[in-house]
Amino acid sequence: MASSTHPSQHPQRTALHNEIHARPPEAMTAPLAISHVLMVCDAAGREASRAHVAALLRDHHLAQPDAHSTHIRMDVGPFRLRWEMHTEFVTYTFMRALEPDAAGTQVFDRDPVTAAQAVPQDWFAALPGQCLVSLHLWALPAPMVQGGDALVRQVLFEDSLVASSVAGGHAKVYTDFAIHADGFSRIVLLAGGAAQAEAAGGESLSPRRLGRLVQRLLEIETYRMAALLGLPAAREAADVLAFAERELASLAEAIRSANRDDEPQLLDRLTRLAGQVESQYAATHSRFSASAAYFELVDKRITDIGESRLAGMQTIREFMDRRLTPARSTCEWATRRQDALSQRVSRMSNLLRTRVEIEQQQSSQALLTTMNTRQGLQLQMQATVEGLSVAAITYYIVGLVSYLAKGAHAIGWPWSPESTAAVAIPVVAGGVWWSLRRLHHKMFGKQHG
């Protein structure tokens, strides 16, 4: 019997384990109409989208979603709903089964049947956020579509038609990457029948495999548009970067020929430029990083569908390589240009800072030289003052000795006051000089100590 005792669990174990099962593909059976919508939302908009879905389910007397759910799949009756919350946007996918006997007529009519038509229109029009992608996809069994290529051209623009064989030859996909009059782009997927399956290796396109194929096709369009969000930012950054590069070149020339008085102004200009460059970098870096990640996802999804060429038709990968590569290169170029400019500004700042530091060191050295000169002059003046001080102090002390000798002469001192004063002068002067030198030595020793 297995033990039911488990060690302490990491708080994120269940969530991380279930991440591999997040957003699984739907099992789908053709004929099927699918409408896919991507709404760009901020954090508040994403929460509002969850409440919006909850309102739809409540109106149809269905279970309410979890307050922290990021993925919902629900059969609403006339259609099936798939709702997904992503980092920057929310996607809604509506699926509706078509009548097998009339699928061709429903799709290739002048007004084709779509899954979005089965959704409550007031609720659909009030989706939170801003629509970036709206796409109709029809998955039809190939045997039901007689003269498939000709019929496909009735719902897609022939001038921009792109088509390829996918899923190892089990299906064909057609699209024109165009927005039609109803505001939706369109994809037609013809799933192969028995003859196509036998030609492709004897395996049919199962419902789960069809679901994975449809999900990848929807993600190609989703990630393609999400990646292109970086293009307007790259174009706007180009103007800012061009001005900053001109200003940096002007600063480099000014620094080369500037004198010391010009440096504060140059430093102020360079600081302003560095702030502008870093501000613009901070505002667009996350956008360019996200676009790079989305571009990689587009490449991965195109690889996943397993394309092969149809005679005379351009494949999805070829179309993306020709039309999407310039936008990708623009975003990558803007990122590289930002990094290079930031490094150049940093080098220029270091150059100016080094120049200022060298001049400061030279100024400090000149100041020390001046201080040493002044100190020498002060010592000379101090020596002169000391000589005068010895004379002055000797004069006053000898005067006191003279007065003392006068009083002493009256009581028997043998020398006259003048003689006593004359003898006292060298003794007093020597004592005063010795005392001042000793005091000077003590003060000099304390300073050096």
Side-chain angles (χ1 to χ4, degrees):
M1 180 177 179
S3 174
S4 60
T5 303
H6 292 280
S8 177
Q9 302 294 298
H10 190 281
Q12 298 295 326
R13 180 194 173 188
T14 302
L16 296 176
H17 178 273
N18 293 335
E19 185 65 24
I20 197 173
H21 303 292
R23 303 183 177 94
E26 296 272 345
M28 300 179 182
T29 302
L32 188 68
I34 300 170
S35 295
H36 179 73
V37 178
L38 181 153
M39 304 297 292
V40 178
C41 307
D42 55 12
R46 292 192 293 274
E47 292 301 322
S49 69
R50 182 187 285 111
H52 198 60
V53 170
L56 175 69
L57 299 181
R58 183 171 57 251
D59 292 342
H60 288 79
H61 307 288
L62 297 172
Q64 295 294 291
D66 183 79
H68 303 287
S69 59
T70 58
H71 172 248
I72 297 172
R73 293 186 296 173
M74 190 71 68
D75 190 346
V76 187
F79 61 94
R80 184 169 178 80
L81 168 67
R82 180 186 179 97
W83 173 83
E84 297 179 7
M85 180 186 293
H86 297 261
T87 304
E88 297 183 286
F89 53 82
V90 175
T91 60
Y92 304 80
T93 305
F94 309 99
M95 291 158 279
R96 172 185 182 184
L98 299 176
E99 299 177 11
D101 297 335
T105 303
Q106 289 179 312
V107 173
F108 300 114
D109 190 17
R110 177 172 298 179
D111 186 18
V113 174
T114 67
Q117 294 170 351
V119 181
Q121 296 303 295
D122 292 342
W123 180 89
F124 184 78
L127 292 178
Q130 297 176 319
C131 180
L132 183 65
V133 175
S134 54
L135 168 68
H136 292 315
L137 186 149
W138 295 278
L140 304 174
M144 291 185 180
V145 184
Q146 301 300 324
D149 290 351
L151 289 175
V152 166
R153 286 174 168 80
Q154 295 181 14
V155 294
L156 300 176
F157 296 139
E158 186 172 358
D159 293 341
S160 57
L161 186 62
V162 175
S164 61
S165 176
V166 295
H170 289 88
K172 296 179 182 179
V173 60
Y174 300 82
T175 185
D176 54 10
F177 291 104
I179 299 177
H180 291 254
D182 59 354
F184 284 76
S185 52
R186 297 178 177 182
I187 296 177
V188 177
L189 177 63
L190 302 182
Q196 287 81 358
E198 183 177 356
E203 298 179 0
S204 62
L205 197 62
S206 66
R208 297 198 66 83
R209 192 175 180 189
L210 177 61
R212 289 195 296 271
L213 177 59
V214 168
Q215 180 170 326
R216 289 164 182 166
L217 292 173
L218 297 178
E219 288 177 346
I220 289 174
E221 183 67 6
T222 294
Y223 295 134
R224 176 181 76 91
M225 292 298 294
L228 289 174
L229 285 174
L231 184 58
R235 290 171 175 169
E236 182 179 352
D239 296 334
V240 178
L241 292 173
F243 169 78
E245 288 171 343
R246 291 193 300 269
E247 177 68 9
L248 186 61
S250 175
L251 276 170
E253 179 63 24
I255 290 174
R256 187 180 66 85
S257 58
N259 54 40
R260 183 177 300 181
D261 295 334
D262 297 331
E263 288 174 356
Q265 181 181 1
L266 293 176
L267 185 60
D268 181 67
R269 287 176 59 188
L270 188 58
T271 302
R272 291 173 182 268
L273 179 62
Q276 183 181 9
V277 170
E278 292 303 321
S279 175
Q280 201 263 347
Y281 179 87
T284 58
H285 178 69
S286 61
R287 179 72 271 155
F288 292 154
S289 298
S291 291
Y294 290 136
F295 279 124
E296 291 180 3
L297 287 173
V298 171
D299 293 338
K300 183 65 169 61
R301 295 301 181 266
I302 293 176
T303 301
D304 290 343
I305 63 176
E307 274 193 302
S308 58
R309 181 181 297 277
L310 291 178
M313 302 299 295
Q314 187 179 25
T315 65
I316 294 176
R317 181 175 293 280
E318 290 173 342
F319 178 87
M320 291 295 183
D321 288 343
R322 291 185 58 190
R323 304 297 180 87
L324 200 61
T325 298
R328 174 187 294 191
S329 299
T330 300
C331 294
E332 293 174 350
W333 168 80
T335 302
R336 292 194 300 268
R337 195 175 175 187
Q338 282 183 335
D339 292 338
L341 183 60
S342 180
Q343 293 174 6
R344 290 172 58 193
V345 170
S346 178
R347 289 197 300 268
M348 192 67 66
S349 299
N350 291 335
L351 176 62
L352 184 57
R353 187 180 302 111
T354 301
R355 176 172 173 169
V356 171
E357 289 176 353
I358 291 175
E359 292 182 351
Q360 287 178 345
Q361 291 175 1
Q362 293 175 346
S363 299
S364 299
Q365 185 176 1
L367 179 61
L368 289 174
T369 302
T370 303
M371 291 177 63
N372 289 334
T373 303
R374 290 180 178 178
Q375 185 175 6
L377 293 175
Q378 288 177 355
L379 289 174
Q380 294 177 2
M381 291 179 64
Q382 183 178 356
T384 303
V385 171
E386 285 180 357
L388 295 175
S389 298
V390 169
I393 294 173
T394 301
Y395 175 79
Y396 285 110
I397 293 177
V398 169
L400 293 176
V401 171
S402 176
Y403 283 112
L404 181 61
K406 287 180 181 179
H409 184 71
I411 60 174
W413 176 255
W415 293 355
S416 66
E418 291 78 6
S419 299
T420 304
V423 173
I425 288 174
V427 177
V428 172
V432 171
W433 177 84
W434 179 81
S435 299
L436 290 175
R437 294 300 299 174
R438 186 175 181 182
L439 178 62
H440 176 76
H441 178 72
K442 288 182 178 180
M443 295 179 62
F444 182 79
K446 289 182 178 180
Q447 290 176 355
H448 281 271

